[in-house]
Amino acid sequence: MPRQFLCLVFGSSLWLALILQSPISSSAAYKRPVSGGKRQSFLERTLILLDVNTRSPVKVLNDNFLSLQLDPSIIKDGWLDFLSSKRLVTLARGLSPAYLRFGGKRTDFLQFHNLKNLAKFRGPGPDYYLKNYEDDIVRSDFALDKQKGCRLASHPDMMLELQREKAAQVQQILLKEQLSDIYSDVTLTARSLDKLYNFADCAGLHLIFGLNALHRNPDNSWNSSSALNLLKYSAGKKYNISWELGNEPNSYRTLAARSVNSSRLAQDYTLLKSLLQSVRYYSRANLYGPNIGRPRKNAILLLDGFMKNGGPAVDAVTWQHYYIDRRVTKVEDFMKTRLLDTLSEQITTVMKIVQTHAPEKRVWLGGVGPAWAGGTNNLSDTFAAGFLWLNTLGIAAAHGIDVVLRHSLFDYGYNHLVDQHFNPLPDYWLSFLYKRLVGPRVLGVHVAGLQRKPRPGRVIRDKLRIYAHCTSFNNHDYVRGSVTIYIINLHRSRKKIKLAGTLRNKTVHQYLLQPFGTEGLHSTSVQLNGEPLLMVDNETFPEMKPRTLRAGRTIAMPPVSISFFVIKNINAYACRR
């Protein structure tokens, strides 16, 4: 029976697919054989054939590809004082090496004052008692981590409970500010900066600090006085920091009834570059920007004008993306393929502008999260959000985005990786596995499979998303030349995959992630190969045991699940060097 072949070429499309279709009239091809009849052919028994181009990588990314963000709101709700937590530092170390961007909506309301913490002079209340209690901790319980030279603390349960009560009250105010786009100023003291840098340094993260771009002179030029004070203080402490200026400048008219056009923004970045060069310690510090919002009309025009005038001032071009807004109310919204594909369209738009003006510039996706305005309770902090997060990493890598900064490691709302009890959420474990298994070299994927002819006019969108990289060289459990494949199955049914070509007859290690507990996709707990993932103690991660699949075995992807597969002993040429 003749067959038709449809071939999509990698590079013009995210997916390399070879879809084998039979004409409607050949329905006999799908009939089960009668008992004792001829055995089914290989293709009839296999849903999907998978191969990977192991000759050369299609993209090579930054070693810190998966990186993190902290919002300045942690100053307001008090959580910044708990960055010295031994458990939180351990969790951050689990995602290193990475960048840590200190920025967000409140970047442009941040004021630096080289003063001691004034909390003791505030009136009584949880904040007052917490600050004084922490002073006792600083004097008596801070210990030196001999391995890292870090100041770490084990905070008493009562202290953490008081902080959670305080944070719950403040977070309602923070959410109202974000929904109304009316923000109050945030004061960063020298002591607070010390704590922030201590956290990043202890965790093996490189700090990127966002400076306030809305501090303006009467002629609308940037007022750099506060930034210069911060630079001098940080240089005196020899803090190794990179810098950026502002957050989503395309939204300033809404935020502060003030507009900053592309020419003015370019001048501001040029001024900041000269400031860095005037402070000897930061004369070679990296500068990133302009950190525009989602690439819609105003943001696109701003980025285009900035690249014409100020592109040379930045070391990488940054922009932001979020998938969904507060109208999202159900798990299914996190699994819509149309939604997942919006990122690819936006990356294409941004890359086109950058390559037009500065083709050598790297592009970073900063401040990305599954949902807007702090996320959605019982949705964006659950297993379901992992489909969006891993899809972001896969699509960004395939397009050559150099770094993806996740909003947020630890924060108010529901978009974070770690909750307020310092417990890892599903997206944390997904990120942890990604860091351990996935390297910066991206490989081309070839997929072939059987599929019935679609009904006329019906759009078929891929619910099985497959990506491949060289296995991380930092993982000493696998020799160089190994390949890691990660798969998202959004189907409500099991899918079978047969490794073909260079992957055929190789031993495979499987890391299957599924929700743990009765809540299903609403669960905030994860199981790996059937075992729940829980921290052993404040400094010890659980053992990540793979399931070994014998050579030649068909891979089975359970419904609505995520899995990583390491192909061992393949000696891939692209992954040896």
Side-chain angles (χ1 to χ4, degrees):
M1 182 65 66
R3 296 184 183 272
Q4 299 171 338
F5 293 85
L6 174 63
C7 194
L8 303 178
V9 180
F10 191 90
S12 62
S13 171
L14 179 63
W15 302 105
L16 267 173
L18 178 62
I19 306 172
L20 288 77
Q21 295 181 324
S22 296
I24 298 176
S25 59
S26 60
S27 58
Y30 295 97
K31 290 182 179 179
R32 294 177 180 274
V34 295
S35 177
K38 187 177 179 180
R39 188 181 178 186
Q40 287 179 303
S41 71
F42 176 76
L43 287 176
E44 287 172 336
R45 290 185 288 108
T46 304
L47 178 64
I48 291 167
L49 297 177
L50 172 62
D51 192 13
V52 170
N53 180 359
T54 59
R55 292 298 302 168
S56 61
V58 294
K59 303 288 181 184
V60 179
L61 312 173
N62 196 301
D63 288 339
N64 294 357
F65 172 70
L66 194 168
S67 288
L68 307 167
Q69 178 173 322
L70 274 178
D71 193 277
S73 61
I74 63 171
I75 299 172
K76 281 208 159 188
D77 63 21
W79 282 116
L80 182 137
D81 295 320
F82 292 80
L83 293 183
S84 56
S85 163
K86 190 175 294 185
R87 186 181 180 93
L88 191 57
V89 170
T90 297
L91 291 172
R93 280 179 187 169
L95 301 181
S96 66
Y99 296 105
L100 177 67
R101 176 188 181 236
F102 186 68
K105 284 287 187 180
R106 290 170 181 80
T107 290
D108 294 302
F109 300 89
L110 195 62
Q111 303 291 337
F112 175 72
H113 293 289
N114 191 358
L115 301 170
K116 293 182 179 180
N117 198 319
L118 303 178
K120 285 190 175 184
F121 302 101
R122 299 173 188 166
D127 185 52
Y128 172 81
Y129 294 115
L130 274 168
K131 295 293 183 181
N132 283 277
Y133 200 172
E134 193 197 40
D135 286 341
D136 294 335
I137 296 294
V138 171
R139 285 192 294 268
S140 60
D141 292 342
F142 265 32
L144 183 68
D145 180 339
K146 294 180 182 179
Q147 214 170 17
K148 291 287 182 179
C150 300
R151 292 184 304 165
L152 302 178
S154 296
H155 300 96
D157 291 341
M158 184 178 74
M159 184 180 179
L160 288 169
E161 187 58 38
L162 283 170
Q163 167 57 25
R164 282 190 285 269
E165 289 178 10
K166 173 201 170 182
Q169 298 171 14
V170 176
Q171 285 164 16
Q172 294 302 313
I173 299 171
L174 297 177
L175 285 171
K176 286 179 182 178
E177 287 185 355
Q178 187 149 347
L179 292 172
S180 65
D181 272 336
I182 300 174
Y183 296 90
S184 56
D185 288 341
V186 181
T187 299
L188 177 75
T189 66
R191 180 180 171 188
S192 296
L193 180 61
D194 294 341
K195 292 179 180 180
L196 175 65
Y197 188 82
N198 178 70
F199 170 73
D201 191 46
C202 288
L205 309 175
H206 178 76
L207 182 62
I208 301 173
F209 194 97
L211 298 167
N212 182 348
L214 277 178
H215 192 198
R216 297 266 150 188
N217 296 314
D219 64 353
N220 205 33
S221 61
W222 179 49
N223 187 326
S224 61
S225 57
S226 178
L228 185 58
N229 288 335
L230 177 56
L231 289 173
K232 289 180 176 178
Y233 177 81
S234 302
K237 290 279 191 173
K238 295 189 177 346
Y239 288 163
N240 182 19
I241 301 176
S242 295
W243 306 90
E244 66 176 9
L245 179 62
N247 183 80
E248 295 190 50
N250 51 290
S251 64
Y252 285 168
R253 184 178 293 277
T254 303
L255 286 177
R258 184 190 292 268
S259 177
V260 178
N261 61 31
S262 58
S263 298
R264 174 63 70 185
L265 188 63
Q267 293 172 24
D268 297 340
Y269 267 84
T270 302
L271 174 57
L272 176 53
K273 191 74 173 179
S274 66
L275 279 181
L276 292 173
Q277 291 171 348
S278 70
V279 179
R280 186 175 179 181
Y281 189 77
Y282 291 121
S283 60
R284 296 185 180 180
N286 287 333
L287 175 61
Y288 305 111
N291 206 32
I292 62 162
R294 284 201 291 180
R296 294 172 174 174
K297 183 178 179 181
N298 291 340
I300 290 172
L301 291 173
L302 186 66
L303 177 62
D304 186 61
F306 176 82
M307 292 305 300
K308 286 178 183 177
N309 300 289
V314 296
D315 295 283
V317 179
T318 58
W319 62 289
Q320 298 190 30
H321 171 81
Y322 61 86
Y323 282 98
I324 45 188
D325 60 26
R326 61 185 180 277
R327 293 171 294 182
V328 172
T329 57
K330 54 186 183 299
V331 159
E332 288 73 17
D333 292 325
F334 284 79
M335 301 166 62
K336 292 178 179 177
T337 53
R338 286 183 182 273
L339 178 68
L340 271 61
D341 291 338
T342 58
L343 177 59
S344 183
E345 299 162 5
Q346 294 185 9
I347 291 176
T348 301
T349 299
V350 171
M351 296 289 271
K352 183 178 179 180
I353 295 172
V354 175
Q355 289 169 3
T356 298
H357 300 290
E360 77 287 353
K361 291 290 182 187
R362 293 285 188 166
V363 178
W364 290 16
L365 179 55
V368 68
W372 175 78
T376 308
N377 188 22
N378 203 30
L379 284 177
S380 50
D381 53 353
T382 65
F383 186 88
F387 300 123
L388 283 177
W389 177 222
L390 191 58
N391 179 74
T392 297
L393 296 172
I395 288 182
H399 279 278
I401 294 292
D402 197 45
V403 171
V404 175
L405 293 148
R406 170 59 192 258
H407 185 285
S408 173
L409 171 65
F410 178 75
D411 204 352
Y412 76 97
Y414 308 100
N415 277 341
H416 40 244
L417 302 181
V418 179
D419 69 16
Q420 294 189 357
H421 292 268
F422 301 151
N423 291 321
L425 291 166
D427 277 6
Y428 178 88
W429 292 119
L430 183 58
S431 304
F432 184 79
L433 262 183
Y434 191 98
K435 278 286 190 179
R436 286 173 61 95
L437 301 177
V438 180
R441 300 184 185 191
V442 186
L443 304 176
V445 175
H446 305 266
V447 180
L450 289 173
Q451 184 178 358
R452 293 182 185 275
K453 194 175 182 67
R455 294 194 298 271
R458 182 180 178 185
V459 177
I460 300 295
R461 290 186 177 268
D462 201 341
K463 289 192 172 186
L464 193 70
R465 307 207 160 208
I466 305 175
Y467 304 92
H469 291 234
C470 296
T471 303
S472 173
F473 291 167
N474 295 326
N475 191 327
H476 301 299
D477 293 335
Y478 299 104
V479 298
R480 291 197 177 199
S482 301
V483 171
T484 297
I485 297 169
Y486 52 103
I487 303 176
I488 306 169
N489 182 17
L490 297 173
H491 290 278
R492 296 287 181 177
S493 58
R494 187 178 69 158
K495 298 299 174 185
K496 292 191 294 182
I497 301 167
K498 188 74 175 178
L499 300 182
T502 56
L503 307 182
R504 183 182 304 158
N505 296 326
K506 302 295 182 184
T507 301
V508 177
H509 278 179
Q510 180 182 28
Y511 298 83
L512 175 64
L513 292 175
Q514 294 174 289
F516 178 73
T518 59
E519 299 91 346
L521 295 177
H522 285 277
S523 177
T524 56
S525 299
V526 178
Q527 56 181 327
L528 173 66
N529 294 329
E531 295 293 328
L533 289 176
L534 298 169
M535 293 292 289
V536 176
D537 55 43
N538 289 340
E539 298 179 272
T540 310
F541 291 100
E543 186 177 358
M544 297 289 173
K545 292 182 180 178
R547 176 183 294 142
T548 302
L549 307 181
R550 69 175 183 274
R553 177 179 172 180
T554 298
I555 292 172
M557 278 293 295
V560 286
S561 63
I562 291 169
S563 193
F564 294 81
F565 300 92
V566 179
I567 317 300
K568 298 182 61 182
N569 305 321
I570 190 174
N571 198 27
Y573 182 77
C575 305
R576 294 203 306 257
R577 304 185 307 278

